[in-house]
């Protein structure tokens, strides 16, 4: 790799966390301040209800959202636009997480429209892709991810500074199961090739995160795999100590 992207360790709090959970962000600020040689950036993506408060508390890390609507504004009850997110000081948004693809039937075309909206507002899109267990068992995993990448990432307007790809095998999310280092290497090399095919030299500079049951005890091995530029973390991001253990294992 010619241009190793700067690593990112991002936490997805999903539908967890009340105002009281913001003390975890205070702890992360402190841990980051005490470790100036850290070789990664950190981000927390809390629920929409505490996004603004999280931005105000986070002095050493970025705050991202977990979803957005594609439109600038309008009659979309319950939805949040990318402009509303930047208005709060949010800098990124997770898009196409498998839980949204499964729970809300979100298609890659819808994800692509949200990526366009994120780019319009100046947000970084963290675009999630990954195969189900059945797709892996039947040998379709590379093809599934190829289609998700091609259909979820718009060619126009996308560059290394405004997207991050997260490979999250659905069967590894919240299960404690992780793919072998060889399988992660195969998929991340595949995604790198796809990004280079779509974006030429910029494809080499795009961060590709691994997500799915990352924790302190497996982070060094997973983050050490070629083309893994950080982690998207669910369960282990809820407590600052557990979340920072990932950084300690892989990026200190
Ligand atoms: P997990 O979730 O770390 O709890 O497996 C990862 C994710 O869904 O981003």
């Amino acid at each position: 790799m010619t241009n190793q992207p700067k690593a990112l360790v991002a936490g997805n709090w999903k539908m967890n966390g009340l105002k009281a959970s913001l003390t975890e962000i205070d702890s992360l600020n402190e841990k980051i301040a005490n470790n100036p040689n850290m070789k990664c950036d950190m981000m927390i993506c809390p629920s929409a209800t505490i996004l603004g408060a999280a931005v105000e508390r986070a002095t050493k890390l970025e705050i991202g959202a977990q979803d957005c609507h594609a439109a600038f504004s309008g009659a979309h009850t319950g939805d949040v636009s990318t402009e509303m997110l930047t208005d709060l000081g949010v800098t990124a948004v997770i898009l196409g997480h498998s839980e949204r693809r499964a729970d809300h039937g979100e298609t890659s075309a819808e994800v692509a429209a949200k990526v366009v909206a994120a780019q319009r507002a100046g947000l970084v899109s963290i675009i999630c892709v990954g195969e189900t267990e059945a797709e892996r068992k039947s040998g379709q995993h590379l093809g599934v991810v190829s289609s998700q990448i091609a259909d979820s990432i718009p060619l126009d307007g996308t560059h290394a500074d405004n997207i991050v790809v997260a490979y999250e095998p659905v069967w590894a999310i919240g299960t404690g199961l992780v793919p072998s280092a060889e399988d992660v290497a195969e998929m991340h090399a595949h995604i790198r090739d796809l990004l280079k095919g779509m974006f030429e030299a910029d494809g080499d500079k795009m961060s590709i995160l691994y997500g799915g049951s990352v924790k302190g005890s497996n982070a060094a091995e997973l983050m050490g795999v070629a083309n893994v530029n950080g982690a998207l973390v669910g369960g282990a991001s809820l407590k600052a100590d557990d979340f920072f253990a990932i950084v300690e294992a892989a990026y200190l």
Side-chain angles (χ1 to χ4, degrees), residues 96-164:
H97 190 282
S98 62
E99 287 154 15
R100 291 208 61 85
R101 291 180 189 260
D103 297 356
H104 300 270
E106 224 173 84
T107 64
S108 290
E110 285 165 340
V111 174
K114 292 180 179 193
V115 174
V116 170
Q119 293 175 354
R120 182 186 70 216
L123 292 171
V124 172
S125 301
I126 302 175
I127 303 165
C128 303
V129 297
E131 81 285 356
T132 62
E133 186 176 23
E135 287 162 345
R136 176 158 286 267
K137 284 201 169 134
S138 58
Q140 293 170 275
H141 49 288
L142 297 177
V144 165
V145 168
S146 300
S147 307
Q148 289 174 333
I149 297 255
D151 298 344
S152 306
I153 308 180
L155 285 174
D156 285 347
T158 298
H159 49 79
D161 293 336
N162 64 15
I163 69 154
V164 168

Side-chain angles (χ1 to χ4, degrees), residues 166-170 172-173 179 188 209-214 223 230-233:
Y167 168 56
E168 300 203 302
V170 177
I173 295 177
H188 279 244
L209 312 184
Y210 168 78
S213 296
V214 179
M223 300 301 105
L232 183 55
V233 185

Side-chain angles (χ1 to χ4, degrees), residues 1 22-23 32 43 50 69 95 98 124 144 202 206 239:
M1 288 253 324
L22 295 170
T23 54
I32 296 168
M43 179 186 294
I50 54 171
H69 194 281
L95 294 174
S98 62
V124 172
V144 165
D202 235 18
M206 291 170 174
K239 292 280 165 224

